[in-house]
Amino acid sequence: MKSKLTVRQKPMKNRSRLFLIYTAAFLLCAAGVYACFIVKGRSLVVSGDGWKQHFTAFVYFGQYGRTVLRTLLTEHQLVLPQWNFSLGYGGDILTTLHYYVIGDPLDLLSIACPTRYAVYLYSFLSLFRLYLAGLGFGAFCRYKMQGAPLPVAVGSVCYVFFTYSFLLVARHPFFALPMVYLPLLFLGVEQVLAKRRPYLLIVTVFLAAVSNFYFFYMLAIITAIYTVYRLCCLYDRHSAKQAVGGLLQVTLWAVVGALMSAAILLPVVLAFMNDTRTAGYQFNWFYDAKFYKNFLSTYFTSSGELGSQTYLGFNAIAFPAICLLFFKRKPEEKPMRILFILSTLLLLFPAFGWLLNGLSYATNRWIWAYSLLVAYIVTTQWQKLRHITVGQAAACVGALALYSLLAIPLMTTDTRNIGVSVLLAFLIIVLCALAPKFKKKHLATALVLVLVLTSFTGNAAYFYSNHCSDYASKFVTYDQVSKKLKNTDAKKVKKAAKKDDSFYRYSGSNLVYNTDLLAKTHSTSFYWSLQNPNIAQFINETELPAREDYMYKDLNGSAALQALAGV
């Protein structure tokens, strides 16, 4: 009895250790990455799309939910408003705002948060999604490897913190959602293929589908590819029947999860299929020369210069980890080497990005899946790196020198940050090679972890500084939020027309987008990703000066059109 109890307690102890180590690592890395935000009192609401769309939708969703609850408690009726005339010329609430806020379970917390505190919750949730992504990655690695907690924790933070999260997740918080769901989908597939219960796969598919249809499409394709990859690893050509059976099982349970989400997913998909934004882009077989010149340099440095939203900037420890994957070859790691090569090739050509973007235009917004692969390589190669031989270290240093000779002359951006990344990778290799000579057993490991943290902090500090994009200056400070919410065009119009109870719209070429939604007013401006295709047709046929079909403001001073719109 005692031995059985000990066996049960060991996995639980490792699980608890992983949770604590990862949580501590995440908090340290987050503090380093977002230090400039903390010092300058900036929120994680970026000017532009973040303020006009994401934060506005977040605040509105909280107000919407509180109104529904108030009606339910006072009038004992469940009333879910489905249409709002403050969305441009009038729009469906679900299909317009689902892309931003409706469906993500975490955004339900906005209902319990007063508007004056919404910016704090919004900023917290932006980070918390990244934290959950790392937890999911840790759960996946633990299931696959059953190893020590430290390598998994290091891989988890490598998965979470790279240029994609510095830029796109900070700008669009829901861009972190696929990072949360991908490792859980992979884990669900592993459990189904191992003849275990399919509940995780079903629930994750359901949550991914209701959270964001755009990334659900990407997740579905990438999970299908992973399923085929795992079946190829598990079965040979003589076991095709078992492989097909496993594929059908995964497909069946995934379809169950998708069907559970149909009440939200179907209306949004139908709106997307009628949307005009997906048309009119030219497909190219290759990126421009700038992309290929800067690919190597931006692989380990944070820069937004690569193009097609290919945001890499992985931690310096990924370099020796990738080298060891190829230098110290194990037969069981051959599929991972092939997968890494193929995935990198997919990054280099627009076709895969075009496919994952709904056949619209080429963009590598699926880079989070590539990050998972890089982080998994770091996790699996950690023990090799910690016990690296002098010969292997020399080979890694040689590869690093070759990388520098190729990347630095080709790059067309600032070289300072790549020098830091190369130095950190060199120091990590040297420290691991000299580890046996340290008198204190864990000193070398501690120093390597410090270098890993330095790499995260250095990449983020460079990216947010004025040497790179000065991206931190584009975020709204906490002090500005209250003023910006109170002093909107919509509220000024509402105050001026407070005695007018009739339905009216106002118009102008200098309006700030989407302020009507919170003020409960109506205008001719609109800026949301999904819109009524009939409005787009109206704008095109009347030749109004709209920036895009989904981004328009005034009626060009036309008296006839203003009368028609009720201005």
Side-chain angles (χ1 to χ4, degrees):
M1 179 65 70
K2 185 176 179 179
S3 60
K4 288 184 179 181
L5 188 60
T6 305
V7 170
R8 288 180 183 177
Q9 287 178 340
K10 189 173 181 181
M12 292 186 67
K13 184 178 179 181
N14 285 339
R15 193 182 303 128
S16 300
R17 286 183 61 200
L18 172 59
F19 174 77
L20 293 174
I21 293 172
Y22 166 68
T23 300
F26 180 89
L27 291 175
L28 283 173
C29 293
V33 167
Y34 296 102
C36 58
F37 290 79
I38 299 170
V39 171
K40 296 180 180 180
R42 295 192 182 275
S43 68
L44 288 180
V45 180
V46 68
S47 300
D49 290 359
W51 178 264
K52 297 171 185 175
Q53 294 181 315
H54 303 293
F55 185 66
T56 298
F58 182 78
V59 174
Y60 171 75
F61 187 59
Q63 295 176 349
Y64 177 94
R66 289 192 291 275
T67 301
V68 171
L69 288 177
R70 192 179 302 114
T71 304
L72 181 62
L73 294 174
T74 58
E75 301 179 16
H76 308 292
Q77 292 181 341
L78 179 61
V79 180
L80 299 174
Q82 300 178 45
W83 188 269
N84 194 323
F85 276 104
S86 296
L87 294 168
Y89 292 96
D92 181 79
I93 295 172
L94 172 63
T95 57
T96 304
L97 300 183
H98 170 266
Y99 185 66
Y100 304 94
V101 66
I102 299 177
D104 181 1
L106 291 178
D107 285 329
L108 292 172
L109 295 173
S110 65
I111 298 173
C113 181
T115 300
R116 63 182 179 275
Y117 300 124
V119 64
Y120 299 101
L121 179 61
Y122 179 94
S123 300
F124 169 75
L125 291 179
S126 295
L127 284 177
F128 189 60
R129 290 185 186 94
L130 293 177
Y131 174 76
L132 292 179
L135 276 185
F137 178 85
F140 171 69
C141 288
R142 191 176 177 280
Y143 180 86
K144 292 279 291 181
M145 297 171 54
Q146 297 294 329
L150 182 59
V152 176
V154 173
S156 295
V157 289
C158 286
Y159 171 53
V160 166
F161 294 110
F162 65 114
T163 309
Y164 174 86
S165 59
F166 298 162
L167 194 152
L168 280 183
V169 171
R171 181 190 296 172
H172 309 288
F174 64 87
F175 274 46
L177 291 175
M179 297 179 68
V180 176
Y181 295 127
L182 184 66
L184 298 179
L185 286 170
F186 285 1
L187 179 55
V189 169
E190 293 288 346
Q191 290 179 345
V192 170
L193 294 181
K195 310 298 182 184
R196 298 180 64 179
R197 294 177 178 178
Y199 301 149
L200 178 62
L201 180 61
I202 294 172
V203 172
T204 306
V205 169
F206 165 74
L207 290 175
V210 300
S211 293
N212 189 278
F213 74 95
Y214 174 69
F215 284 115
F216 176 65
Y217 166 76
M218 291 188 190
L219 287 166
I221 294 176
I222 293 171
T223 304
I225 293 172
Y226 178 79
T227 303
V228 173
Y229 162 76
R230 288 295 296 139
L231 289 171
C232 292
C233 295
L234 294 172
Y235 302 102
D236 56 25
R237 59 182 180 178
H238 302 294
S239 306
K241 186 175 180 181
Q242 292 91 323
V244 171
L247 180 62
L248 290 176
Q249 277 192 318
V250 171
T251 304
L252 171 65
W253 298 122
V255 168
V256 171
L259 289 176
M260 289 168 58
S261 70
I264 290 179
L265 183 63
L266 279 181
V268 176
V269 170
L270 290 173
F272 176 77
M273 292 175 66
N274 292 320
D275 189 70
T276 58
R277 187 173 180 175
T278 57
Y281 295 96
Q282 181 180 358
F283 174 75
N284 297 309
W285 288 102
F286 299 95
Y287 295 115
D288 57 23
K290 182 181 177 182
F291 180 94
Y292 297 105
K293 286 182 178 179
N294 290 291
F295 183 82
L296 284 176
S297 62
T298 58
Y299 201 91
F300 299 105
T301 60
S302 290
S303 173
E305 298 294 326
L306 195 55
S308 298
Q309 297 188 336
T310 313
Y311 300 116
L312 302 169
F314 301 115
N315 193 279
I317 197 173
F319 186 90
I322 293 170
C323 289
L324 289 176
L325 176 66
F326 287 90
F327 293 167
K328 193 173 181 180
R329 297 188 178 184
K330 291 183 178 180
E332 63 271 20
E333 292 178 343
K334 182 178 179 181
M336 195 189 308
R337 289 192 289 270
I338 295 173
L339 184 63
F340 176 78
I341 293 171
L342 292 178
S343 299
T344 305
L345 288 175
L346 291 177
L347 272 181
L348 293 173
F349 300 97
F352 194 62
W354 172 74
L355 170 66
L356 288 184
N357 200 40
L359 309 181
S360 177
Y361 58 92
T363 178
N364 288 319
R365 288 177 177 173
W366 62 276
I367 195 67
W368 34 267
Y370 188 83
S371 174
L372 186 143
L373 175 60
V374 172
Y376 190 73
I377 290 172
V378 171
T379 305
T380 57
Q381 303 305 306
W382 175 267
Q383 293 302 332
K384 286 187 194 177
L385 185 59
R386 287 291 295 109
H387 299 92
I388 193 172
T389 64
V390 175
Q392 291 165 354
C396 288
V397 170
L400 187 61
L402 180 61
Y403 165 82
S404 303
L405 291 173
L406 290 173
I408 294 176
L410 286 174
M411 68 186 296
T412 60
T413 58
D414 194 340
T415 60
R416 276 173 286 190
N417 196 41
I418 189 173
V420 174
S421 297
V422 168
L423 176 61
L424 289 172
F426 173 76
L427 292 176
I428 289 172
I429 296 167
V430 171
L431 270 176
C432 291
L434 296 178
K437 299 183 181 296
F438 282 77
K439 293 182 179 179
K440 294 185 177 181
K441 183 179 177 181
H442 299 295
L443 180 59
T445 301
L447 292 174
V448 168
L449 293 177
V450 170
L451 293 176
V452 170
L453 174 62
T454 305
S455 181
F456 286 129
T457 305
N459 274 345
Y462 173 76
F463 181 76
Y464 290 128
S465 72
N466 54 14
H467 295 298
C468 186
S469 62
D470 194 21
Y471 197 52
S473 65
K474 299 175 183 177
F475 287 79
V476 180
T477 64
Y478 287 105
D479 295 334
Q480 292 174 326
V481 171
S482 179
K483 296 178 182 178
K484 288 174 73 71
L485 284 174
K486 291 178 180 178
N487 301 320
T488 63
D489 300 331
K491 290 196 173 181
K492 292 176 182 177
V493 170
K494 188 174 184 178
K495 182 179 180 180
K498 61 182 178 180
K499 295 182 179 180
D500 189 349
D501 296 330
S502 64
F503 182 90
Y504 63 88
R505 289 190 177 96
Y506 64 95
S507 185
S509 59
N510 296 318
L511 299 178
V512 177
Y513 292 112
N514 302 334
T515 57
D516 301 297
L517 192 59
L518 300 182
K520 300 179 182 179
T521 53
H522 317 105
S523 74
T524 59
S525 70
F526 178 93
Y527 180 28
W528 303 101
S529 289
L530 285 182
Q531 86 286 358
N532 187 332
N534 297 314
I535 300 296
Q537 182 182 355
F538 166 74
I539 291 171
N540 290 327
E541 291 183 356
T542 53
E543 298 183 352
L544 290 173
R547 182 176 173 183
E548 299 285 353
D549 289 347
Y550 56 88
M551 185 188 299
Y552 48 83
K553 284 187 178 179
D554 64 332
L555 295 169
N556 202 26
S558 171
L561 293 178
Q562 287 179 350
L564 182 65
V567 175

